[in-house]
Coordinates of all heavy atoms in Angstrom, one line a residue:
M29 N 5.3 -1.7 -4.3 CA 6.0 -0.7 -5.1 C 7.2 -1.3 -5.9 O 7.5 -1.0 -7.0 CB 6.5 0.5 -4.2 CG 5.4 1.3 -3.6 SD 4.4 2.3 -4.8 CE 5.6 3.5 -5.3
K30 N 8.0 -2.1 -5.1 CA 9.2 -2.7 -5.7 C 8.8 -3.5 -7.0 O 9.4 -3.4 -8.0 CB 9.9 -3.6 -4.7 CG 11.2 -4.2 -5.3 CD 11.9 -5.0 -4.3 CE 13.1 -5.6 -4.9 NZ 13.8 -6.5 -4.0
S31 N 7.7 -4.3 -6.9 CA 7.3 -5.1 -8.1 C 6.9 -4.2 -9.2 O 7.2 -4.5 -10.4 CB 6.1 -6.0 -7.7 OG 6.4 -6.9 -6.7
L32 N 6.2 -3.1 -8.9 CA 5.8 -2.2 -10.0 C 7.1 -1.6 -10.6 O 7.1 -1.5 -11.9 CB 5.0 -1.1 -9.4 CG 4.6 0.1 -10.4 CD1 3.7 -0.5 -11.5 CD2 3.8 1.1 -9.6
F33 N 8.0 -1.2 -9.9 CA 9.3 -0.6 -10.4 C 10.0 -1.6 -11.3 O 10.5 -1.3 -12.3 CB 10.2 0.0 -9.3 CG 9.6 1.2 -8.7 CD1 10.0 1.5 -7.3 CD2 8.7 2.1 -9.3 CE1 9.5 2.6 -6.7 CE2 8.2 3.2 -8.7 CZ 8.6 3.5 -7.4
E34 N 10.0 -2.8 -10.8 CA 10.7 -3.9 -11.5 C 10.0 -4.1 -12.9 O 10.7 -4.4 -13.9 CB 10.8 -5.2 -10.7 CG 11.8 -5.1 -9.6 CD 11.8 -6.2 -8.6 OE1 10.7 -7.0 -8.6 OE2 12.8 -6.4 -7.9
E35 N 8.7 -4.1 -12.9 CA 7.9 -4.2 -14.1 C 8.3 -3.1 -15.1 O 8.2 -3.3 -16.3 CB 6.4 -4.2 -13.9 CG 5.9 -5.5 -13.2 CD 4.5 -5.4 -12.8 OE1 3.7 -4.6 -13.5 OE2 4.1 -6.2 -11.9
L36 N 8.7 -2.0 -14.6 CA 9.1 -0.8 -15.4 C 10.6 -0.9 -15.8 O 11.1 0.1 -16.4 CB 8.8 0.5 -14.7 CG 7.3 0.8 -14.5 CD1 7.1 1.9 -13.6 CD2 6.5 0.9 -15.8
S37 N 11.2 -2.0 -15.5 CA 12.6 -2.2 -15.9 C 13.6 -1.4 -15.1 O 14.7 -1.2 -15.5 CB 12.9 -2.1 -17.4 OG 12.1 -3.0 -18.1
L38 N 13.1 -0.9 -13.9 CA 14.1 -0.1 -13.0 C 14.9 -1.1 -12.3 O 14.5 -2.2 -12.0 CB 13.3 0.7 -12.1 CG 12.4 1.8 -12.7 CD1 11.6 2.5 -11.7 CD2 13.3 2.8 -13.5
K39 N 16.2 -0.8 -12.0 CA 17.1 -1.7 -11.4 C 17.6 -1.1 -10.1 O 17.5 0.1 -9.9 CB 18.2 -2.0 -12.4 CG 17.8 -2.6 -13.7 CD 18.9 -3.2 -14.5 CE 18.5 -3.7 -15.9 NZ 17.3 -4.5 -15.9
N40 N 18.3 -2.0 -9.3 CA 18.9 -1.6 -8.1 C 17.9 -0.8 -7.1 O 18.2 0.2 -6.6 CB 20.1 -0.7 -8.3 CG 21.2 -1.4 -9.1 OD1 21.4 -2.6 -8.9 ND2 21.8 -0.7 -10.0
I41 N 16.7 -1.4 -7.0 CA 15.7 -0.8 -6.2 C 16.0 -1.2 -4.7 O 16.2 -2.3 -4.4 CB 14.3 -1.4 -6.6 CG1 14.0 -1.1 -8.0 CG2 13.2 -0.9 -5.7 CD1 13.0 -2.0 -8.7
E42 N 15.9 -0.2 -3.9 CA 16.1 -0.3 -2.4 C 14.8 0.0 -1.7 O 14.1 0.9 -2.0 CB 17.2 0.6 -1.9 CG 18.6 0.3 -2.4 CD 19.6 1.1 -1.8 OE1 19.5 1.4 -0.6 OE2 20.4 1.7 -2.5
I43 N 14.5 -0.8 -0.7 CA 13.3 -0.6 0.1 C 13.9 0.0 1.4 O 14.7 -0.6 2.1 CB 12.6 -1.9 0.4 CG1 12.0 -2.4 -0.9 CG2 11.5 -1.6 1.4 CD1 11.3 -3.7 -0.7
I44 N 13.4 1.2 1.7 CA 13.8 1.9 3.0 C 12.6 2.1 3.9 O 11.6 2.6 3.4 CB 14.5 3.2 2.6 CG1 15.7 3.0 1.7 CG2 14.8 4.0 3.9 CD1 16.2 4.3 1.1
L45 N 12.7 1.7 5.1 CA 11.7 2.0 6.1 C 11.9 3.4 6.6 O 13.0 3.8 6.9 CB 11.8 1.0 7.3 CG 11.6 -0.5 6.9 CD1 11.8 -1.3 8.2 CD2 10.3 -0.7 6.3
L46 N 10.8 4.1 6.8 CA 10.8 5.4 7.3 C 9.9 5.5 8.5 O 8.7 5.2 8.4 CB 10.2 6.4 6.2 CG 10.1 7.8 6.6 CD1 11.5 8.4 6.9 CD2 9.4 8.6 5.4
D47 N 10.5 5.7 9.7 CA 9.8 5.7 10.9 C 9.7 7.2 11.4 O 10.8 7.9 11.4 CB 10.5 4.9 12.0 CG 10.3 3.4 11.8 OD1 9.5 3.0 11.0 OD2 11.0 2.6 12.5
I48 N 8.6 7.6 11.8 CA 8.4 9.0 12.3 C 7.7 8.9 13.6 O 6.7 8.2 13.7 CB 7.6 9.8 11.3 CG1 8.3 9.9 9.9 CG2 7.3 11.2 11.9 CD1 7.5 10.5 8.9
Q49 N 8.2 9.6 14.6 CA 7.5 9.7 15.9 C 6.3 10.6 15.8 O 6.4 11.7 15.3 CB 8.5 10.3 17.0 CG 9.5 9.3 17.5 CD 8.9 8.1 18.1 OE1 9.1 7.0 17.7 NE2 8.2 8.3 19.2
A50 N 5.2 10.1 16.1 CA 3.9 10.8 16.1 C 3.5 11.0 17.5 O 3.3 10.0 18.3 CB 2.9 10.1 15.3
Q51 N 3.4 12.3 18.0 CA 3.0 12.5 19.3 C 1.7 13.4 19.3 O 1.5 14.3 18.6 CB 4.1 13.3 20.1 CG 5.3 12.5 20.1 CD 6.5 13.3 20.6 OE1 6.6 14.5 20.3 NE2 7.4 12.7 21.3
F52 N 0.7 12.9 20.2 CA -0.6 13.6 20.3 C -0.8 14.0 21.7 O -0.5 13.3 22.6 CB -1.7 12.6 19.8 CG -1.5 12.1 18.4 CD1 -0.7 10.9 18.2 CD2 -1.9 12.8 17.3 CE1 -0.5 10.4 16.9 CE2 -1.7 12.3 16.0 CZ -1.0 11.2 15.8
K53 N -1.4 15.2 21.9 CA -1.5 15.7 23.3 C -2.6 14.9 24.1 O -2.5 14.8 25.3 CB -1.8 17.2 23.3 CG -3.1 17.6 22.8 CD -3.3 19.1 22.8 CE -4.7 19.4 22.3 NZ -5.0 20.8 22.5
D54 N -3.6 14.4 23.3 CA -4.6 13.5 24.0 C -5.3 12.7 22.9 O -5.0 12.8 21.8 CB -5.5 14.4 24.8 CG -6.2 15.5 24.0 OD1 -6.3 15.4 22.8 OD2 -6.6 16.5 24.7
F55 N -6.3 12.0 23.4 CA -7.1 11.2 22.5 C -7.8 12.0 21.4 O -7.7 11.6 20.2 CB -8.1 10.3 23.2 CG -8.9 9.4 22.4 CD1 -8.4 8.2 22.0 CD2 -10.2 9.7 21.9 CE1 -9.1 7.3 21.1 CE2 -10.9 8.9 21.1 CZ -10.4 7.7 20.7
D56 N -8.4 13.1 21.7 CA -9.0 13.9 20.8 C -8.1 14.4 19.7 O -8.5 14.5 18.5 CB -9.8 15.1 21.4 CG -11.1 14.7 22.1 OD1 -11.6 13.6 21.9 OD2 -11.6 15.5 23.0
D57 N -6.9 14.8 20.1 CA -5.9 15.3 19.2 C -5.6 14.2 18.1 O -5.3 14.5 16.9 CB -4.6 15.7 19.9 CG -3.5 16.3 19.0 OD1 -3.9 17.0 18.1 OD2 -2.3 16.1 19.4
Y58 N -5.6 12.9 18.5 CA -5.4 11.8 17.7 C -6.6 11.5 16.8 O -6.6 11.4 15.6 CB -5.0 10.5 18.5 CG -5.0 9.3 17.6 CD1 -3.9 8.9 16.9 CD2 -6.1 8.4 17.6 CE1 -3.9 7.8 16.1 CE2 -6.1 7.3 16.8 CZ -5.0 7.0 16.1 OH -5.0 5.8 15.3
W59 N -7.8 11.4 17.4 CA -9.0 10.9 16.8 C -9.8 11.9 16.0 O -10.3 11.5 14.9 CB -9.9 10.3 17.9 CG -11.1 9.6 17.5 CD1 -12.4 9.8 17.9 CD2 -11.2 8.5 16.6 NE1 -13.3 8.9 17.4 CE2 -12.6 8.1 16.5 CE3 -10.3 7.8 15.8 CZ2 -13.0 7.1 15.7 CZ3 -10.8 6.7 15.0 CH2 -12.1 6.4 15.0
L60 N -10.0 13.1 16.4 CA -10.8 14.0 15.8 C -10.5 14.3 14.3 O -11.4 14.4 13.5 CB -11.0 15.3 16.5 CG -11.7 15.2 17.9 CD1 -11.8 16.5 18.6 CD2 -13.1 14.6 17.7
P61 N -9.2 14.3 13.9 CA -8.9 14.5 12.5 C -9.4 13.4 11.6 O -9.8 13.7 10.4 CB -7.3 14.5 12.5 CG -7.0 15.1 13.8 CD -8.0 14.4 14.7
F62 N -9.6 12.2 12.1 CA -10.1 11.1 11.3 C -11.6 11.4 11.0 O -12.1 11.0 10.0 CB -10.0 9.8 12.0 CG -8.6 9.2 12.1 CD1 -7.9 9.3 13.2 CD2 -8.1 8.6 10.9 CE1 -6.6 8.7 13.2 CE2 -6.8 8.1 10.9 CZ -6.1 8.2 12.1
L63 N -12.3 12.1 11.9 CA -13.7 12.4 11.7 C -14.0 13.6 10.9 O -15.1 13.8 10.4 CB -14.4 12.5 13.1 CG -14.3 11.3 14.0 CD1 -14.9 11.6 15.4 CD2 -14.9 10.1 13.4
G64 N -13.0 14.4 10.7 CA -13.2 15.7 10.0 C -12.4 15.8 8.6 O -12.6 16.8 7.9
A65 N -11.7 14.8 8.3 CA -10.8 14.9 7.1 C -11.6 14.4 5.9 O -12.6 13.8 6.0 CB -9.5 14.1 7.3
Q66 N -10.9 14.6 4.8 CA -11.4 14.0 3.5 C -10.7 12.6 3.4 O -9.7 12.4 3.9 CB -11.1 14.9 2.4 CG -11.7 16.3 2.4 CD -13.2 16.2 2.4 OE1 -13.8 15.5 1.6 NE2 -13.8 17.0 3.3
G67 N -11.3 11.8 2.6 CA -10.7 10.5 2.3 C -11.5 9.3 2.7 O -12.6 9.4 3.4
S68 N -11.0 8.1 2.4 CA -11.8 6.9 2.6 C -12.0 6.5 4.0 O -13.1 6.1 4.4 CB -11.2 5.7 1.8 OG -9.9 5.6 2.2
V69 N -11.0 6.8 4.9 CA -11.2 6.5 6.3 C -12.3 7.3 6.9 O -13.2 6.8 7.6 CB -9.9 6.6 7.1 CG1 -10.1 6.5 8.6 CG2 -8.9 5.6 6.6
S70 N -12.2 8.6 6.7 CA -13.2 9.5 7.2 C -14.7 9.2 6.7 O -15.6 9.2 7.4 CB -12.9 11.0 6.9 OG -11.7 11.3 7.6
K71 N -14.7 8.9 5.4 CA -16.0 8.6 4.8 C -16.6 7.3 5.5 O -17.8 7.2 5.8 CB -15.9 8.3 3.3 CG -15.7 9.6 2.5 CD -15.6 9.3 1.0 CE -15.4 10.5 0.2 NZ -15.2 10.3 -1.2
Y72 N -15.7 6.3 5.7 CA -16.2 5.1 6.4 C -16.6 5.4 7.8 O -17.8 5.0 8.2 CB -15.1 4.1 6.4 CG -15.4 2.9 7.3 CD1 -16.4 2.0 6.9 CD2 -14.9 2.8 8.6 CE1 -16.7 0.9 7.7 CE2 -15.2 1.7 9.4 CZ -16.1 0.8 9.0 OH -16.5 -0.2 9.8
L73 N -15.9 6.2 8.5 CA -16.2 6.5 9.9 C -17.5 7.2 10.0 O -18.4 7.0 10.9 CB -15.1 7.2 10.6 CG -13.8 6.5 10.8 CD1 -12.7 7.4 11.4 CD2 -14.0 5.3 11.8
L74 N -17.7 8.2 9.1 CA -18.9 9.0 9.1 C -20.1 8.2 8.6 O -21.2 8.6 8.8 CB -18.7 10.3 8.3 CG -17.7 11.2 8.9 CD1 -17.4 12.4 7.9 CD2 -18.0 11.7 10.3
S75 N -19.9 7.1 8.0 CA -21.0 6.3 7.5 C -21.5 5.4 8.6 O -22.6 4.8 8.5 CB -20.6 5.4 6.3 OG -19.8 4.3 6.8
L76 N -20.8 5.2 9.7 CA -21.2 4.4 10.8 C -22.3 5.0 11.6 O -22.4 6.2 11.8 CB -20.0 4.1 11.8 CG -18.8 3.3 11.2 CD1 -17.7 3.3 12.2 CD2 -19.2 2.0 10.7
D77 N -23.2 4.2 12.1 CA -24.2 4.7 13.0 C -23.6 5.1 14.4 O -22.4 4.7 14.6 CB -25.4 3.8 13.2 CG -25.1 2.5 13.8 OD1 -24.3 2.4 14.8 OD2 -25.7 1.5 13.4
E78 N -24.3 5.8 15.2 CA -23.7 6.3 16.5 C -23.3 5.1 17.4 O -22.2 5.2 18.0 CB -24.8 7.1 17.2 CG -24.3 7.8 18.4 CD -25.3 8.7 19.1 OE1 -26.3 9.0 18.5 OE2 -25.0 9.2 20.2
V79 N -24.0 4.1 17.4 CA -23.6 2.9 18.3 C -22.3 2.3 17.8 O -21.4 2.1 18.6 CB -24.8 1.8 18.3 CG1 -24.3 0.6 19.0 CG2 -26.0 2.4 19.0
A80 N -22.2 2.1 16.5 CA -20.9 1.5 16.0 C -19.8 2.4 16.2 O -18.7 2.0 16.5 CB -21.2 1.1 14.5
L81 N -20.0 3.7 15.9 CA -18.9 4.7 16.1 C -18.4 4.8 17.5 O -17.3 4.8 17.8 CB -19.3 6.1 15.5 CG -18.2 7.1 15.5 CD1 -17.0 6.7 14.7 CD2 -18.8 8.4 15.0
N82 N -19.4 4.8 18.4 CA -19.0 4.8 19.8 C -18.3 3.6 20.3 O -17.3 3.7 21.1 CB -20.3 5.0 20.7 CG -20.8 6.5 20.6 OD1 -20.2 7.4 20.2 ND2 -22.1 6.6 20.9
A83 N -18.7 2.4 19.8 CA -18.0 1.2 20.1 C -16.6 1.2 19.6 O -15.7 0.8 20.3 CB -18.8 0.0 19.5
L84 N -16.4 1.7 18.3 CA -15.1 1.7 17.8 C -14.2 2.7 18.5 O -13.0 2.4 18.8 CB -15.2 2.2 16.3 CG -13.9 2.4 15.5 CD1 -13.1 1.1 15.4 CD2 -14.1 2.9 14.1
T85 N -14.7 3.8 18.9 CA -14.0 4.8 19.7 C -13.6 4.2 21.0 O -12.4 4.4 21.4 CB -14.9 6.1 19.9 OG1 -15.2 6.6 18.6 CG2 -14.1 7.2 20.7
A86 N -14.5 3.6 21.7 CA -14.2 2.9 23.0 C -13.1 1.9 22.9 O -12.2 1.8 23.7 CB -15.4 2.3 23.6
Q87 N -13.2 1.1 21.8 CA -12.1 0.0 21.6 C -10.8 0.7 21.3 O -9.8 0.2 21.8 CB -12.6 -0.9 20.5 CG -11.6 -2.1 20.3 CD -11.5 -3.0 21.5 OE1 -12.5 -3.2 22.2 NE2 -10.4 -3.5 21.8
L88 N -10.8 1.7 20.5 CA -9.6 2.4 20.2 C -8.9 3.0 21.5 O -7.7 2.9 21.7 CB -9.8 3.5 19.2 CG -8.6 4.2 18.6 CD1 -7.7 3.3 17.9 CD2 -9.1 5.3 17.6
R89 N -9.7 3.6 22.3 CA -9.2 4.1 23.6 C -8.5 3.0 24.5 O -7.6 3.3 25.1 CB -10.3 4.7 24.5 CG -10.8 6.1 24.0 CD -11.8 6.6 25.0 NE -12.4 7.9 24.5 CZ -11.9 9.1 24.8 NH1 -10.8 9.2 25.4 NH2 -12.5 10.1 24.3
K90 N -9.1 1.8 24.4 CA -8.5 0.7 25.2 C -7.2 0.2 24.5 O -6.3 -0.2 25.3 CB -9.5 -0.5 25.2 CG -10.7 -0.3 26.0 CD -11.6 -1.5 25.9 CE -12.9 -1.4 26.6 NZ -13.8 -2.5 26.4
Q91 N -7.0 0.4 23.2 CA -5.9 -0.2 22.6 C -4.7 0.7 22.4 O -3.6 0.3 22.3 CB -6.3 -0.8 21.2 CG -7.1 -2.1 21.3 CD -7.4 -2.7 20.0 OE1 -8.5 -2.5 19.5 NE2 -6.5 -3.4 19.4
L92 N -5.0 2.0 22.3 CA -3.9 3.0 22.2 C -3.0 3.1 23.4 O -3.5 2.9 24.5 CB -4.5 4.4 21.9 CG -4.9 4.6 20.4 CD1 -5.7 5.9 20.4 CD2 -3.8 4.6 19.4
P93 N -1.7 3.3 23.2 CA -0.8 3.4 24.4 C -0.9 4.8 25.0 O -0.1 5.7 24.7 CB 0.6 3.2 23.8 CG 0.4 3.7 22.3 CD -1.0 3.3 21.9
I94 N -1.9 5.1 25.8 CA -2.2 6.4 26.3 C -1.4 6.5 27.6 O -1.4 5.7 28.5 CB -3.7 6.6 26.6 CG1 -4.5 6.5 25.3 CG2 -3.9 7.9 27.3 CD1 -6.0 6.6 25.5
N95 N -0.5 7.6 27.6 CA 0.3 7.8 28.8 C -0.5 8.4 30.0 O -1.6 8.8 29.8 CB 1.4 8.8 28.4 CG 2.3 8.3 27.3 OD1 2.7 7.2 27.3 ND2 2.5 9.2 26.3
D96 N 0.1 8.4 31.2 CA -0.6 8.8 32.4 C -1.1 10.3 32.3 O -2.1 10.6 32.8 CB 0.4 8.7 33.6 CG 0.6 7.3 34.0 OD1 -0.2 6.4 33.6 OD2 1.6 7.1 34.7
D97 N -0.4 11.1 31.5 CA -0.8 12.5 31.3 C -1.9 12.6 30.1 O -2.3 13.7 29.8 CB 0.3 13.4 31.0 CG 1.1 13.1 29.7 OD1 0.7 12.2 29.0 OD2 2.0 13.9 29.4
G98 N -2.3 11.5 29.5 CA -3.3 11.5 28.5 C -2.7 11.6 27.1 O -3.4 11.4 26.1
S99 N -1.4 11.9 27.0 CA -0.7 12.0 25.6 C -0.6 10.6 25.0 O -0.6 9.6 25.7 CB 0.6 12.7 25.8 OG 1.5 11.9 26.5
I100 N -0.3 10.6 23.8 CA -0.2 9.3 23.0 C 1.1 9.5 22.1 O 1.2 10.4 21.4 CB -1.4 9.1 22.1 CG1 -2.7 9.0 23.0 CG2 -1.2 7.8 21.3 CD1 -4.0 8.9 22.2
D101 N 2.0 8.5 22.3 CA 3.2 8.4 21.4 C 3.1 7.2 20.5 O 3.0 6.1 21.0 CB 4.4 8.3 22.3 CG 4.6 9.5 23.2 OD1 4.4 10.7 22.8 OD2 4.9 9.3 24.4
L102 N 3.2 7.5 19.2 CA 3.1 6.4 18.3 C 4.3 6.5 17.3 O 4.9 7.5 17.1 CB 1.8 6.4 17.5 CG 0.5 6.2 18.3 CD1 -0.7 6.5 17.4 CD2 0.4 4.9 18.9
V103 N 4.5 5.4 16.6 CA 5.5 5.4 15.5 C 4.7 5.2 14.2 O 4.0 4.2 14.1 CB 6.6 4.3 15.7 CG1 7.4 4.2 14.5 CG2 7.4 4.5 17.0
A104 N 4.9 6.1 13.3 CA 4.2 6.0 12.0 C 5.3 5.4 11.1 O 6.4 5.9 11.0 CB 3.8 7.4 11.5
R105 N 5.0 4.4 10.4 CA 6.0 3.7 9.5 C 5.5 3.6 8.1 O 4.3 3.2 7.8 CB 6.3 2.3 10.0 CG 7.2 1.5 9.1 CD 7.6 0.2 9.7 NE 8.7 0.5 10.6 CZ 9.2 -0.4 11.4 NH1 8.8 -1.6 11.4 NH2 10.2 0.0 12.2
A106 N 6.3 4.0 7.2 CA 6.0 3.9 5.8 C 7.1 3.0 5.1 O 8.3 3.1 5.4 CB 6.1 5.3 5.1
F107 N 6.7 2.1 4.3 CA 7.6 1.2 3.5 C 6.9 0.7 2.3 O 5.7 0.7 2.3 CB 8.2 0.1 4.5 CG 7.2 -0.9 4.9 CD1 6.9 -2.0 4.2 CD2 6.5 -0.6 6.1 CE1 6.0 -2.9 4.7 CE2 5.5 -1.5 6.5 CZ 5.3 -2.7 5.8
G108 N 7.7 0.2 1.4 CA 7.2 -0.4 0.2 C 7.8 -1.8 0.0 O 8.9 -2.0 0.4
D109 N 7.0 -2.6 -0.7 CA 7.6 -4.0 -1.0 C 7.0 -4.4 -2.3 O 5.9 -4.2 -2.6 CB 7.2 -5.0 0.1 CG 7.8 -6.3 -0.2 OD1 8.9 -6.4 -0.7 OD2 7.2 -7.3 0.2

């Protein structure tokens, strides 16, 4: 984004990181919106066959920081460069 703004002759551009705490009650609360939403991620996921989607889901369950109560706490970060 910064490069684009500079190409438009904008000056004194600042890059600011925006962190937001994202909390999910459980895995389904995190995962199901990806399967039912519009957009490129959902289209990709829905294009996978059952075996591939199940493997991806299982891997995601292993990698997410799932708390003892099943909840998931993540940091969503937005920034531009």
Side-chain angles (χ1 to χ4, degrees):
M29 292 291 290
K30 182 179 180 184
S31 298
L32 176 64
F33 291 155
E34 288 171 340
E35 288 176 22
L36 296 171
S37 300
L38 298 174
K39 301 191 185 313
N40 299 321
I41 301 163
E42 291 184 47
I43 296 175
I44 299 171
L45 299 178
L46 178 61
D47 287 347
I48 299 171
Q49 284 297 119
Q51 299 170 326
F52 303 91
K53 68 179 182 174
D54 56 24
F55 182 80
D56 285 344
D57 187 34
Y58 171 82
W59 185 233
L60 291 180
F62 287 105
L63 300 176
Q66 300 295 316
S68 57
V69 172
S70 293
K71 285 181 184 178
Y72 169 74
L73 292 174
L74 295 173
S75 75
L76 297 175
D77 64 36
E78 186 176 352
V79 172
L81 184 58
N82 288 340
L84 178 62
T85 303
Q87 185 62 36
L88 189 56
R89 281 184 188 273
K90 289 179 187 176
Q91 289 185 258
L92 282 171
I94 299 176
N95 299 315
D96 290 340
D97 67 356
S99 65
I100 301 169
D101 299 317
L102 298 173
V103 176
R105 174 171 282 172
F107 64 94
D109 184 33

